[in-house]
Amino acid sequence: MPGFELFGDLERKEVNDVLNTGVLMRYGFDNMRQGQWKAKEMEKALCNRMGVKYAQLVSSGTSALTVALASAGVGAGDEVIMPVFTFVASFEAVLSVGAVPVLVNIDDTLTLDIESVKKAITSKTKVIMPVHMCGSMAHLKELKGICEEHELILLEDACQAIGGSYEGKALGSYGDLGCFSFDYVKTITCGEGGAIITNHEKYALNADHYSDHGHDHIGNDRGAEDHPFLGYNFRISELNAAVGIAQLSRLDNFLDVQKRNYTVLKESLSKIPEIAFRKVPEGGIENYSFLSFFLPDEQLAREAHKALSEKGVDGCFYWYDNNWHYIKKWDHLKKHHSLGKLPQEVINQMPDYNAVNFSQSDYWIGRNISVLIKLSWTEEQLYERASKMVKAISDVLSLSHKNI
Ligand SMILES: *Cc1c(COP(=O)(O)O)cnc(C)c1O
């Protein structure tokens, strides 16, 4: 997945364009910038690549989610349905606009379980936020149907899935709004950065204003701007956007490499009959940033994960024990630990996550291992990795057979 692996001359050239003018800010300084508008240029390129009308670059994926929610008018009292397997940023963004994160079960796609989503809908629900974890997508068609029926907003957290598609549409472009992250470990990087994409003009305009203190950006050189509503600073800098332009131009190349590496590992692991792979909804194409699979039970998954690490196979994640990505370890959320007090209304309205039963999600995450697909593996490293993985997992499984 990591774009940082292939930082090169193209990125340096784009950054030098900015350094040569010295204009590091994306707005204003019209006379000094010698025609360089890197953030605008990357937004245009994102629109082209993703097939959408509007793109707004911001300072991170977390900012993108926050701005997307605000742009759609989400605020106090509104509920946002999201999965228990995601990165902490998803609920941070919801809380930061004063709304309530409603976490629900996942299924074998490792993202939103449709029945759990339906059960969680209340009169306060405003958004359904699937998170396309580890490069593959939620049941988007079903989610869209639910959103249409209940007049909800479909916001895709596609931070880990840029370049994947569903029914021929880029992930992030299927719903009302989609968000990407360009932090340093994502498929493409700006160093730090993020983006919101949408086809709704109103959301796009709101995102443009909200991410820059509510400035309406009318007129040249920030001279005649007004503030139709409150906003914050979620701007990206020209330096970060410059890196992103180069990386985005290489996205399809990165995806090809990921797909090749993913396919070799998947074919090798397919020889082990006890392994099942994560379900990809029909009509979906992954971005191949991770290969995710299930062992027959939690204990075997733990042992396989340990054996992989002992064999020196790096980049294997057992999310069930990981405190960034699964609800089991999110004590700060469960105990409402913030620096200041969270609004009492939010606490009252939020489900008590210490008490909710997520055994369905435990079942899937407890058996899952995800392997990060790198871009920089040589052919030799790739095949060595494949055979080490097969050996490590087969050993664990045959030992367990002997013990029965
Ligand atoms: C990385 C990530 C984010 C946040 O992106 P940042 O750029 O790191 O703020 C949000 N959601 C998911 C699923 C992510 O993986």
Side-chain angles (χ1 to χ4, degrees), residues 7 11 14-15 189-191 238-248:
F7 191 96
E11 285 76 7
E14 293 290 337
V15 173
T189 187
C190 290
E238 285 287 275
L239 287 170
N240 295 91
V243 174
I245 289 172
Q247 290 262 305
L248 183 58

Side-chain angles (χ1 to χ4, degrees), residues 74-135:
V74 179
D78 296 328
E79 293 176 2
V80 179
I81 296 176
M82 70 179 67
V84 288
F85 177 48
T86 178
F87 178 55
V88 290
S90 309
F91 60 77
E92 288 168 353
V94 173
L95 289 169
S96 78
V97 297
V100 178
V102 176
L103 291 123
V104 305
N105 273 317
I106 55 154
D107 64 13
D108 56 350
T109 62
L110 297 182
T111 176
L112 287 175
D113 172 58
I114 295 299
E115 287 312 309
S116 304
V117 169
K118 284 184 186 164
K119 278 191 215 140
I121 293 173
T122 71
S123 59
K124 304 257 176 79
T125 307
K126 188 140 181 188
V127 179
I128 297 179
M129 181 157 99
V131 185
H132 306 317
M133 283 299 278
C134 305

Side-chain angles (χ1 to χ4, degrees), residues 60-62 65 86-87 89-90 131 133 157 159-160 181 183 186 193:
S60 70
T62 313
L65 293 168
T86 178
F87 178 55
S90 309
V131 185
M133 283 299 278
D157 179 342
C159 286
Q160 295 195 6
S181 162
D183 79 22
K186 295 302 202 286

